Structure formats: structure tokens, C-alpha cells
Amino acid sequence: MRTPYFISMDDLKDLPVEEAFKVVVDGIYPSLFNRLTDIASCVSKFEVGEDSSALTGMVQRMNTELEGMYQKEKLVLFPYILKLKKENKISDSCKPFSNVKAHYRSLMHTLEGAKKYCHEFVEKGADCELTEKINSFEKLLVPFQHVKDRSLYAK
């Protein structure tokens, strides 16, 4: 099932912070999780072997890191930012932000590894549907993180 939120990253950054956070939590994250599910489905079609097991582990790790980002933003960071906004204060702590960044860095590192394995599967004649799914995930994730860093967290 795809998310009902179809919003450009440019439009997202221009939304009021409360509305933007709602779109992120209720729309963009579910879309990212759906794309990871699509990737896992493609990987499950490969013959069981060392390469497919490694790729399966990478997809599971990506899901774990994305879930960590989602939970930290939804339960800690976004409420923290809204509290600061309500009190008309700025943050004196980087910890809530750095925790989310750590998950993102780990997710991107694992994604790069998955892309490498995917490339090897394609070289062996595997269907390139997996490449398309991974690229689709990355094309949503990277701009999304940039908008959060440059616009949403700065509000």
C-alpha cells in the first residue's frame, strides 16, 4: 500500500512545522518502509546462498536503522522541536539530532553495501528490478534527509 501523501520536498520544507512533521510521520516514513518491503520481496526471490543471505541481512539492517530514525524523530526529536518552538527557544543540545544522524549514517553505509551486492547480482544475470527498487528507496531517502536537515530541523 502506498502512502496518500504526495508532496515534493520543496513543498515539504515550506509547510508549517507541525504540518510538516505530520506528513513526515504519516506519509514519508510509511512510503520508505513500503519501498524497503519491495526490496525485501525482490531479494527473497534469489537462490539461497552466501550473497543472497548477506543482502537479506543488509535489508534487515536498513529496516532496523530506518525504524530507529522513525522512532527517534516521532517520539523524541519532533516533540522536542515543537516544545522549543512553543517556548520560543533554540536547542542547547545536539543529542536528539545526533542520534537520528547516527541511524541515517548507518543506513546509508548499509545501503551502499546493498547496492554493491545488487550490482554483483545483475552482473550474474539477475533481474534488475532490485536495482530499480533500491534506487527508488534512495531517491526518496536522500532528499528527504536533506530537507529535514536544512529546513525542518532549522525551524
Side-chain angles (χ1 to χ4, degrees):
M1 184 170 98
R2 295 287 176 207
T3 174
Y5 292 91
F6 298 103
I7 187 166
S8 74
M9 292 300 138
D10 285 335
D11 290 340
L12 177 63
K13 70 181 181 184
D14 294 333
L15 289 175
V17 69
E18 296 86 354
E19 190 176 338
F21 290 167
K22 181 166 178 42
V23 169
V24 166
V25 168
D26 296 341
I28 296 174
Y29 270 112
S31 184
L32 285 165
F33 283 113
N34 286 340
R35 291 174 191 205
L36 271 181
T37 299
D38 291 346
I39 292 168
S41 177
C42 284
V43 171
S44 71
K45 296 175 187 173
F46 291 127
E47 285 184 33
V48 176
E50 185 178 316
D51 289 343
S52 65
S53 294
L55 192 52
T56 298
M58 288 178 186
V59 173
Q60 290 169 344
R61 174 73 187 252
M62 288 166 48
N63 193 69
T64 298
E65 295 301 338
L66 185 64
E67 181 68 31
M69 285 174 57
Y70 172 74
Q71 291 297 327
K72 291 227 169 55
E73 285 182 339
K74 179 181 176 182
L75 301 175
V76 178
L77 186 57
F78 291 166
Y80 176 71
I81 292 171
L82 291 171
K83 181 178 183 267
L84 290 173
K85 184 177 185 276
K86 183 179 178 182
E87 296 172 355
N88 201 24
K89 294 181 180 179
I90 57 171
S91 177
D92 59 355
S93 172
C94 296
K95 189 169 182 179
F97 300 94
S98 62
N99 286 339
V100 172
K101 287 284 201 174
H103 285 290
Y104 178 73
R105 282 190 301 274
S106 179
L107 174 58
M108 290 305 297
H109 177 75
T110 306
L111 178 62
E112 288 304 315
K115 287 168 54 177
K116 177 184 172 227
Y117 269 95
C118 181
H119 180 71
E120 291 173 12
F121 276 113
V122 170
E123 284 183 346
K124 295 176 185 177
D127 188 350
C128 68
E129 180 184 19
L130 178 58
T131 302
E132 294 166 6
K133 301 286 186 193
I134 289 174
N135 289 339
S136 173
F137 176 76
E138 184 177 31
K139 285 179 183 176
L140 177 58
L141 176 65
V142 173
F144 170 53
Q145 188 65 35
H146 287 259
V147 167
K148 289 189 304 181
D149 288 345
R150 293 190 178 107
S151 300
L152 299 183
Y153 295 167
K155 291 182 180 187

